[in-house]
Amino acid sequence: MTMLEDRSTTNAKLNSKVPAGALADKWDTFKANAKLVNPNNKRKFKVIVVGTGLAGASAAATLAELGYQVDAFTFHDSARRAHSIAAQGGINAAKNYQGDGDSVSRLFTDTIKGGDFRSREGNVYRLAQVSVNIIDQMVAQGVPFAREYGGLLDNRSFGGAQVSRTFYARGQTGQQLLLGAYQQLSRQIGLGGVRLFNRCELVDVVVIDGRAAGIVTRDLLTGQVTSHAAHAVVLATGGYGNVYFLSTNAMNCNVTAAWRAHRRGAYFANPCFTQIHPTCIPQADETQSKLTLMSESLRNDGRVWVPKNADETRPAHQIPEEDRDYYLERLYPSYGNLAPRDISSRAAKRLVDRGQGVGPLKNGVYLDFSAAINRLGRNVVEERYGNLFEMYERIAGENPYQVPMRIYPATHYTMGGLWVDYELQTTIPGLYAAGEANFSDHGANRLGASALMQGLADGYFVLPYTISNGLAPLLNKSVPGTDHPEFKRVEAEARDRYQAYINVKGTRSPDYFHRELGKIIWDYCGMERDRNGLEKAISEIPALYDEFKKDLRVTGTGEGVNQTLEKAGRVDDFFQLGMLMCKDALTREESAGGHFRVEYQTAEGEAQRDDENYCHVAAWEWTGDANNATRHEEQLSFETLQLATRSYK
Amino acid sequence: MSHVLKNLTVKVWRQDGPTAKGNFETHVIDSITDEASFLEMLDVLNERLIADGKEAVVFDHDCREGICGTCSLMINGQAHGPQRATTTCQLHMRSFKSNDTIVIEPWRAGAFPIVKDLMVDRSAFDRIVESGGYITSPTGGAPDANLIPVPKPVADASMDSAACIGCGACVAACPNGAANLFVGAKIAHLNLLPQGQAERFKRAEAMVDTMDEHFGSCTNHGECSAACPKEISLDVIALMNKDYRSAKFKNRKELSRN
Ligand SMILES: Cc1cc2nc3c(=O)[nH]c(=O)nc-3n(C[C@H](O)[C@H](O)[C@H](O)COP(=O)(O)OP(=O)(O)OC[C@H]3O[C@@H](n4cnc5c(N)ncnc54)[C@H](O)[C@@H]3O)c2cc1C
Ligand code: SF4
Ligand code: FES
């Protein structure tokens, strides 16, 4: 039980700052009382925005429109390439354009319930409120959302909801939204409101007198390490799903920005809350470098099944109806194939573990469109999912119009992230986190089409207000510049760190270590977790990490482009995060959303929460030792909603 | 069912920096499953190079799903390789046979200087967008999204053009290094929509003028569209030219009378 001893109680830094009053009035109350910066004074403030995905690009563009001087950073070659571009399915908003009973409070309820009651009511309600503005904003920017013949916007439904509130642009919603935000950002770059530093990676955060003073970056083209000072710093650097090595994230997604901030004093919240997406293409071989998601929207028209018999050898189309198990429809009749992600994923895992998997490696389940093709015609199916079907065929080499797709769960999204208060400020004053990088709105499980919504809500409609509130008191006060000794010290540390990776001169590449680390985390801190496994991981990861420090091989030098060196720095941080994830999973002795502890399940095998003891956010404080962080708690109280057991039966 | 490819000869372009002299380096891949993607084949090669104490081949990539536009590569002289409508990252080794020789080069175009090995600098594309590839709509002032109906065929055509991933294959494939397909795609995306009308001619003029500063001129070869992984149609170039021409004599004060 040693793990539980360091459980301390509520910490003064974890003040959520949610305004008092009725839920529906909180955001208005905040805005009415927030301090403002007068338009002429805004240009006296420099704001650094790291990341140009949906959250970062929207924040940078909006802050520049308001008049702040913005420096934006991305490790990509262009702001248009952020991982947000890969989102396929859609974005939620409580527009109720379909008149099917949607409302702000219903979206709020669905999100809290979907997150298994592990998120903050105040934040989530605000998210649902501003969701409607996002769609207006994006349409005005020229996002070509799908339309009905009458010219009005079309919607589809997504897992965990009984209304149609998802807006989409073919299977490329993330691309179209990101291009909208990128274009708005580009306009500001053209006008001189934003300076963009591309191919430039944040490698540390500088904190002076308890306040974020700026960042230290490494230029990926030259290797040069440089300091940047600002009045406020926003991290919109995405999620950490790549800790598993194989995930649906883009190859370069990493935790470095959030992790370096954590090491400088920002608490890291709920790192074990990771989401496994039920519909990805199963791993084909050992060279596999990433897994590809097949949008969840496919479950609107596809039926999930496995053969009833584990020894089944017939191809799918020869297996008669009576020998198929449409297990989601059987187990969850009211949501059927649209049961939430965590539930669908675990159901697939159980059947595959039982030997009922399909495909050459028996590592998938079928997602079958034959009924939809018969009912709607091939044209309609092609119109809805054409590009996804093509993508599947390119990767799997099979035609899903003729044979069912094979799918299996894969890591997809991380609900955990930097702890932030209602203002999206971390425990380091002046340092904000937005988008997937923060932990805020999704609790223990995120609903489909809600990440795009949250990223844009944070960047467009929340941060611009909360940052002004934070900056106003700093007017005409001087802040430390990059000549401050602390900047010099952190810069030197960063230079030494990168040189040290090169100096190890061992035998194994960063990718080797990343793959091995990923296997441990997937096996013990993936879809199902238990005490034994987590304890095993907590002893195996440090051993592998020691090996990394002794046996890493980075070829080439620190000057000029060196992708092996970039990777080494990112893997280093994944190791430290991995330890924290496992420790977080071990100390959360309940099951909630994506965190499924085998020991805590109902007789029917569903997640069993422990609201008595775990109705809180676990926020971890860095102590200097990755395996020995301090756990703090932010208690969650549900004033509007009753804590209830999630049921999708 | 998967097969194993044997004995592939890979000739890959190595170049230390923008001004360094480059050369082809030849490697043999003894065997690899045809389920591997093309970039996974390069991963395997890079792991081997590191094991041998050599520098890994530098190449740009990220999503590996054909959507971010980061990957590039001329493969046997074709931008993004032999498969129609497929980015390099989505190309799989099943497109090759045992004993094949595969020649891998960076995009070669005046406006895309080589950074290192197979990595090039495509920021000229960003300069074009910064000059006008947007609809001015500052945060907060947007009207209700359903206020202006967009006829479905218009939304669909706009989406067809908006599908461009900014990879630059069109430029690399063009004998003149022209960017007309990329720029045409962005102009068509925005200029087809009702929301894009207010800045329609200003946009066409600014973007085309910026394009001309960086890129070669179009002589209607059509190689761009053939190489485009998103099958952007040559029609976008016609639309761009039309709006650019109109922009030169259109009385902007009468824009809303059309
Ligand atoms: C395949 C896939 C499909 C998805 N589909 C959907 C969907 O249909 N609907 C939905 O709502 N959500 C979806 N999601 C989730 C959603 O796309 C992401 O959660 C969201 O886009 C994250 O946006 P972001 O702005 O927070 O971060 P990102 O888009 O990941 O951007 C991160 C940015 O930070 C920069 N960065 C990171 N670290 C550093 C550093 N150290 N230095 C400098 N720059 C840095 C990067 O360059 C990048 O610009 C999907 C996710 C995946 C993987
Ligand atoms: S037009 Fe096609 S080839 Fe050119 S950048 Fe766009 S997607 Fe790439
Ligand atoms: S890596 Fe993203 S398109 Fe190829």
Side-chain angles (χ1 to χ4, degrees), chain B residues 125 164-170 181-182 185 224 227-230 232:
Chain B
F125 272 4
C164 162
I165 58 175
C167 62
C170 45
L181 196 67
F182 167 78
C224 51
C228 174
K230 299 296 145 180
I232 301 289

Side-chain angles (χ1 to χ4, degrees), chain A residues 32-98:
Chain A
N33 295 308
K35 296 182 221 61
L36 296 175
V37 179
N38 135 344
N40 290 324
N41 284 330
K42 290 206 177 82
R43 65 186 137 77
K44 297 183 185 160
F45 290 102
K46 155 97 32 105
V47 181
I48 283 176
V49 178
V50 189
T52 59
L54 285 179
S58 57
T62 307
L63 291 166
E65 283 165 10
L66 290 171
Y68 295 109
Q69 293 176 51
V70 177
D71 282 355
F73 294 81
T74 169
F75 62 66
H76 285 98
D77 67 323
S78 163
R80 66 181 292 149
R81 313 242 190 252
H83 170 57
S84 294
I85 202 118
Q88 303 171 351
I91 176 165
N92 288 330
K95 279 288 199 184
N96 195 28
Y97 281 161
Q98 306 304 323

Side-chain angles (χ1 to χ4, degrees), chain A residues 507-514 548 551-553 564, chain B residues 47 50:
Chain A
T507 65
R508 307 260 192 199
S509 71
D511 264 344
Y512 164 82
F513 287 106
H514 191 187
F548 170 83
D551 197 25
L552 174 71
R553 173 178 289 180
T564 315
Chain B
E47 283 297 290
I50 295 173

Side-chain angles (χ1 to χ4, degrees), chain A residues 240-435:
Chain A
Y240 53 85
N242 272 351
V243 66
Y244 291 94
F245 187 77
L246 284 182
S247 87
T248 63
N249 285 12
M251 298 296 288
N252 294 310
C253 291
N254 66 81
V255 75
T256 290
W259 193 255
R260 293 285 142 184
H262 172 58
R263 292 176 51 118
R264 297 281 172 203
Y267 289 6
F268 207 105
N270 299 333
C272 81
F273 286 169
T274 56
Q275 180 168 78
I276 311 294
H277 194 290
T279 53
C280 305
I281 304 178
Q283 180 169 0
D285 64 74
E286 72 293 347
T287 65
Q288 191 99 24
S289 58
K290 73 156 284 173
L291 296 169
T292 301
L293 176 97
M294 286 285 105
S295 171
E296 179 169 17
S297 61
L298 291 167
R299 290 199 279 147
N300 273 300
D301 289 306
R303 297 179 71 196
V304 178
W305 63 276
V306 291
K308 282 189 178 153
N309 182 352
D311 304 322
E312 184 60 73
T313 52
R314 290 170 288 184
H317 69 274
Q318 284 174 15
I319 303 176
E321 286 292 317
E322 64 271 18
D323 291 341
R324 301 174 175 196
D325 181 6
Y326 293 91
Y327 57 91
L328 288 177
E329 295 170 20
R330 172 170 59 81
L331 294 166
Y332 308 101
S334 65
Y335 282 76
N337 294 297
L338 287 174
R341 294 181 170 175
D342 52 332
I343 288 179
S344 312
S345 295
R346 278 197 300 277
K349 174 173 166 40
R350 285 186 189 139
L351 290 158
V352 167
D353 288 350
R354 241 185 263 156
Q356 281 166 271
V358 300
L361 305 177
K362 294 194 76 150
N363 60 352
V365 299
Y366 286 128
L367 179 62
D368 194 338
F369 292 88
S370 50
I373 292 171
N374 289 338
R375 180 164 41 92
L376 305 164
R378 184 183 151 130
N379 285 352
V380 175
V381 172
E382 189 168 343
E383 164 110 343
R384 287 186 190 163
Y385 310 111
N387 67 326
L388 297 173
F389 277 39
E390 280 173 32
M391 186 189 320
Y392 180 85
E393 186 169 358
R394 271 195 292 270
I395 294 169
E398 288 172 351
N399 177 348
Y401 293 103
Q402 284 154 15
V403 284
M405 286 185 181
R406 285 175 292 114
I407 55 165
Y408 195 65
T411 304
H412 176 58
Y413 182 85
T414 51
M415 282 75 69
L418 291 175
W419 184 91
V420 289
D421 62 17
Y422 192 69
E423 302 187 26
L424 305 184
Q425 189 162 230
T426 66
T427 50
I428 302 175
L431 181 73
Y432 297 78

